[in-house]
């Protein structure tokens, strides 16, 4: 990382960024071309290991591409704020982001699919899965992707707190 002063390594700060971001851009490679899809997600972060869960249709381009090449990239960002300057080249942007690589897998086991749907709803809606009306066939209606993130970096450019 070129700007080491912006690197985030504190687990609590990484978790705050994971929680604040709501969209993950999933990057796939199809016949030498990049295909990027913005997706809502849920996650598990344990012992520094990150797994992301996404739901999608049971057929389509994403699943076709992953079936051929399950190596993926991820990117999420939040805390956007323009930093103004006197001159154009002095403008910048405050942000926080997580970027990484991993492998994608279609989850088949019904229990893991249910847990994944619960994690997605908890992250996106702030409510436990049990609080929603459920359909016993829900997990059969969608595909669930799990991305085990093998390496990632977390970075932020934040406004320095000012003392008066």
């Amino acid at each position: 990382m070129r700007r080491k002063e912006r690197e985030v390594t504190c687990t609590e700060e990484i978790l705050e960024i994971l929680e604040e971001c709501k969209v993950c851009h999933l990057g796939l490679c199809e016949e030498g071309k990049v295909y990027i899809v913005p997706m809502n997600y849920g996650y598990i972060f344990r012992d520094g290991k990150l797994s992301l869960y996404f739901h999608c249709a049971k057929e389509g381009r994403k699943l076709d591409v992953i079936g051929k090449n399950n190596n993926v990239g991820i990117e999420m960002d939040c805390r956007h704020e323009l930093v103004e300057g006197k001159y154009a080249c002095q403008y910048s942007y405050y942000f926080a982001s997580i970027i990484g690589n991993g492998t994608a897998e279609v989850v088949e086991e019904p229990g893991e699919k249910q847990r994944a749907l619960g994690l997605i709803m908890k992250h996106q809606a702030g409510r436990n899965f049990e609080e929603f009306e459920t359909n016993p066939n829900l997990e059969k209606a969608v595909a669930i992707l799990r991305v085990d993130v093998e390496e990632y970096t977390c970075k932020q450019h934040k406004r320095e707190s000012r003392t008066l």
Side-chain angles (χ1 to χ4, degrees):
M1 180 175 296
R2 186 178 66 83
R3 303 285 304 261
K4 284 292 203 185
E5 74 277 7
R6 294 186 181 172
E7 184 175 23
V8 178
T9 57
C10 172
T11 300
E12 291 77 23
E13 288 183 66
I14 293 169
L15 286 169
E16 285 176 13
I17 293 167
L18 270 170
E19 194 60 35
E20 193 171 331
C21 293
K22 297 299 179 190
V23 174
C24 178
H25 298 89
L26 184 63
L28 312 170
C29 186
E30 179 180 35
E31 298 176 8
K33 295 183 180 178
V34 177
Y35 175 52
I36 300 172
V37 184
M39 300 183 75
N40 296 110
Y41 67 93
Y43 66 91
I44 294 176
F45 189 87
R46 283 196 193 115
D47 302 321
K49 296 187 187 303
L50 174 61
S51 291
L52 300 171
Y53 287 98
F54 307 94
H55 72 85
C56 61
K58 294 182 88 167
E59 58 184 34
R61 186 173 178 189
K62 275 189 301 300
L63 295 182
D64 292 345
V65 173
I66 289 169
K68 295 174 191 170
N69 180 359
N70 71 339
N71 294 305
V72 300
I74 58 116
E75 187 280 341
M76 58 186 79
D77 54 87
C78 58
R79 301 180 183 169
H80 307 119
E81 183 184 349
L82 182 65
V83 180
E84 294 185 17
K86 182 176 179 180
Y87 304 104
C89 62
Q90 292 175 324
Y91 274 66
S92 185
Y93 217 69
Y94 295 127
F95 68 92
S97 67
I98 297 174
I99 299 173
N101 296 293
T103 54
E105 180 179 322
V106 177
V107 175
E108 301 292 347
E109 198 276 312
E112 185 178 2
K113 286 180 80 171
Q114 287 285 347
R115 285 188 297 280
L117 288 168
L119 290 168
I120 293 166
M121 293 309 300
K122 178 70 173 170
H123 181 64
Q124 297 300 321
R127 294 170 50 198
N128 291 320
F129 195 58
E130 298 78 25
E131 296 178 55
F132 293 92
E133 185 176 331
T134 59
N135 177 333
N137 295 317
L138 184 61
E139 56 85 11
K140 295 176 185 171
V142 297
I144 298 291
L145 297 175
R146 183 185 70 237
V147 172
D148 294 319
V149 180
E150 294 159 3
E151 61 182 11
Y152 65 90
T153 56
C154 186
K155 184 176 176 180
Q156 68 180 341
H157 179 199
K158 65 181 180 177
R159 178 185 300 274
E160 298 300 322
S161 55
R162 298 181 183 146
T163 56
L164 298 176

